[in-house]
Amino acid sequence: MTSDGRSPVPAALPPVPAQADRLVALGLVPDDGTPAAPDRLDAAGLRSAARRLAVDAPPGALLVVHPRHLSPSALAPHLRRTVRTRTGVVEREGFVVEDMTDVDAFGPVDGLEVPDADVYLVNGPERGDEMANASPQEAAARIAARGRSPLTLAEGAQWVLQDPEVLEPGRCFMTIGSRRRRPDGTYDARTPALWISGGTGRDGSTRRGATKIGWCWWRNRHTWLGVASTDDRLDP
């Protein structure tokens, strides 16, 4: 933790246009050369938005593609980590826990203003290490008191995509800006989070060290999970 009580700043993210190029290179945004439909984001549209956003982007800004174009479930396999095993070094694909088949239904919570833009910036993302052992419910008030906004699951997953090292053993994070609403309008008690699998239980030993999208209870505390937040968001 820094002297002012904030999370340490992870390694700087690449420039905004380079982040767009990475999304295209991974095949997450199509680059087939055909004209894009009005409801479709293609590589040309992404790169154009990235160039506009880069003009005012502060250092360390994260480029985010709206989840209507890039869902957490589509991102998960691309959240790859290099893991050292007894037989050598392997690359593990990320995954969503088996009991979160509804992962893409977790949307922004009430009062959280996410730009209704195909592409936008998240400025000053922090992992929230200082809120480890705070429940999501407790952390929400602390984040608000600092004038910050909690990250959504889509934002957190795209942060890990661009900078896999933002997840460290014992230093991972929840994304309490996303929750799933029940038919009666109340929230599901689950809160999404990203951490590193220990390869136990239903994860299986072949996923040891992989990036994991899972969930925690709204009122539970975890010593190894911070609560990620941002200074603000900027649309083109």
Side-chain angles (χ1 to χ4, degrees):
M1 190 183 303
T2 60
S3 60
D4 62 357
R6 296 164 68 93
S7 297
V9 178
L13 284 160
V16 169
Q19 294 180 48
D21 289 340
R22 176 164 169 75
L23 293 171
V24 175
L26 290 172
L28 290 166
V29 177
D31 189 19
D32 55 15
T34 60
D39 61 347
R40 177 176 175 264
L41 177 69
D42 66 1
L46 171 64
R47 286 175 168 139
S48 176
R51 288 193 296 270
R52 293 195 303 273
L53 287 163
V55 173
D56 296 315
L62 170 69
L63 183 72
V64 175
V65 172
H66 196 284
R68 63 174 167 257
H69 298 294
L70 190 52
S71 67
S73 63
L75 277 165
H78 297 275
L79 305 181
R80 298 188 174 107
R81 297 188 77 252
T82 300
V83 179
R84 186 174 297 279
T85 70
R86 286 178 292 182
T87 57
V89 176
V90 297
E91 189 176 67
R92 302 278 201 225
E93 286 189 357
F95 66 100
V96 180
V97 294
E98 292 183 7
D99 57 356
M100 203 176 181
T101 56
D102 55 356
V103 62
D104 294 336
F106 283 73
V109 297
D110 289 342
L112 184 64
E113 296 185 6
V114 174
D116 186 23
D118 293 335
V119 186
Y120 64 94
L121 290 184
V122 163
N123 297 327
E126 290 182 5
R127 202 166 52 189
D129 294 350
E130 70 279 8
M131 281 179 275
N133 209 33
S135 70
Q137 183 181 43
E138 294 163 339
R142 291 170 60 180
I143 290 171
R146 287 180 55 195
R148 291 176 62 83
S149 175
L151 286 194
T152 66
L153 174 57
E155 294 165 349
Q158 291 186 54
W159 190 17
V160 175
L161 179 81
Q162 297 288 355
D163 181 11
E165 299 306 312
V166 76
L167 290 186
E168 302 178 81
R171 296 288 186 181
C172 302
F173 59 86
M174 292 183 272
T175 53
I176 69 173
S178 292
R179 297 186 72 184
R180 186 183 185 282
R181 197 178 294 279
R182 300 188 184 102
D184 65 1
T186 62
Y187 286 126
D188 186 309
R190 294 171 296 168
T191 301
L194 293 105
W195 70 94
I196 300 170
S197 173
T200 59
R202 287 182 291 181
D203 291 0
S205 60
T206 59
R207 285 174 165 168
R208 182 179 177 83
T211 298
K212 175 177 178 175
I213 295 178
W215 56 270
C216 307
W217 297 118
W218 178 248
R219 291 186 174 88
N220 281 13
R221 301 186 181 101
H222 298 276
T223 58
W224 43 276
L225 284 174
V227 183
S229 65
T230 174
D231 279 332
D232 58 19
R233 297 169 175 87
L234 176 68
D235 57 14

